[in-house]
Amino acid sequence: MPSEQHAVSTTDGADLLFAGEVFCDLVFSGVPMPEVGAEVYADGFAVTPGGVANRAVAAARVGARTLLLSRLGDDPIGSHIHAVLDAEPDLDTSLLESVPGHQSPVSVSLTGAHDRSFITYQEDLGHLHLPDGVGPIGATHVGIAHELPEWVRLLRAAGTTIVGGVGWDSTGEWSPDLLTRLAEVDVFVPNDVEAMRYTRTDDAVTAAKALAERVPLAVVTRGPDGVVAVDSASGCVVEIPTVAVKAVDPTGAGDVFVATFMASAGHDWDLASRLRFAGLAASISVTGFGGAANAPTMAGLRAFITDRHPDGDWSFLLDTPDPRPHSTTAHEKESR
């Protein structure tokens, strides 16, 4: 059951809502996929919440009141991941259901500094439903690969900002028909490969401009090359470089980016500052194992700026007080 310390009445609403599958990620670092019959040894290992938990934890750690809508089994793996998520400050797990007899999803990640492979086991439980009586939601993130749930339409009608994402198209078709769903979202955040293939363009900037013809704000992440965003109302194009770090595990970096970008809407920052903030959070997340486990806090972000002096103007972040106290992550403790 959710911890009473962190469970909040859903009638209070939340700044952000994240709905989807929570995985138990078993992360093996510094190792390639072994050949048939071979055995390889990893440099490191971690057990961490994955899937939608990457986004929910990242948003909560930078101060957004975050509501997680998901399900886990009552098996030992699910119980452990549930307890880990219950312990996150500002993360409301009251809608994280424990399903008797269900095997929680598990994903094994074999990861290096820039690439990773996954082996996943998951049992389908059907669509998630947002219960009635949930209070106002500032923003939510949804995948647009399939028809959006009715509750998303109702939230948008009530004033919630809908942020869309999309995953890898294993069919290889990259049908542009999918882009018709952009009329149902306010912000779209794909990576550069996804953006270029869906728009049939050759570079991220051109792809972002094409997407901005369909959605108010298009944000295209480019990994080590940073991020580009296009505001359709003004036509403004903003490009922000990546903060260089030594990457250990890129798992969940995109999730950390979109979650912290959404959380940044709670501050009076311009678009460039919001992108810079989210990019820094994503960069820091790849310096340790697992996106959720290594998502930084506001204190961790400011400590990185103070210690490493990355290029750019970071006064917007250094001058912003913490909305409330946070504990440090394990990686932040080790880096001190």
Side-chain angles (χ1 to χ4, degrees), residues 190-223:
N191 65 35
D192 51 354
V193 174
E194 296 160 351
M196 289 186 290
R197 294 196 179 185
Y198 277 117
T199 59
R200 308 304 197 258
T201 55
D202 296 325
D203 66 89
V205 175
T206 303
K209 290 178 179 178
L211 292 170
E213 295 176 1
R214 296 174 175 265
V215 68
L217 179 61
V219 179
V220 177
T221 61
R222 300 186 289 184

Side-chain angles (χ1 to χ4, degrees), residues 118 157 275:
F118 298 96
L275 295 170

Side-chain angles (χ1 to χ4, degrees), residues 74-201:
D74 61 353
D75 56 298
I77 288 175
S79 298
H80 170 72
I81 296 300
H82 207 311
V84 170
L85 293 173
D86 287 344
E88 283 288 337
D90 293 316
L91 180 57
D92 179 356
T93 57
S94 59
L95 296 184
L96 177 55
E97 180 185 359
S98 182
V99 181
H102 176 62
Q103 169 62 58
S104 300
V106 180
S107 191
V108 176
S109 173
L110 307 179
T111 181
H114 303 290
D115 296 298
R116 68 266 197 209
S117 301
F118 298 96
I119 302 173
T120 297
Y121 179 79
Q122 180 181 11
E123 297 175 355
D124 186 20
L125 284 175
H127 297 297
L128 286 163
H129 300 280
L130 184 67
D132 295 335
V134 174
I137 301 295
T140 190
H141 183 275
V142 296
I144 67 166
H146 304 285
E147 184 177 348
L148 273 55
E150 176 65 11
W151 58 263
V152 173
R153 185 188 67 79
L154 295 175
L155 284 179
R156 193 183 192 199
T160 299
T161 297
I162 309 300
V163 180
V166 69
W168 181 260
D169 183 358
S170 59
T171 69
E173 295 179 359
W174 303 95
S175 173
D177 293 343
L178 174 143
L179 300 182
T180 61
R181 295 198 188 97
L182 292 181
E184 302 176 57
V185 305
D186 304 293
V187 184
F188 184 46
V189 190
N191 65 35
D192 51 354
V193 174
E194 296 160 351
M196 289 186 290
R197 294 196 179 185
Y198 277 117
T199 59
R200 308 304 197 258
T201 55

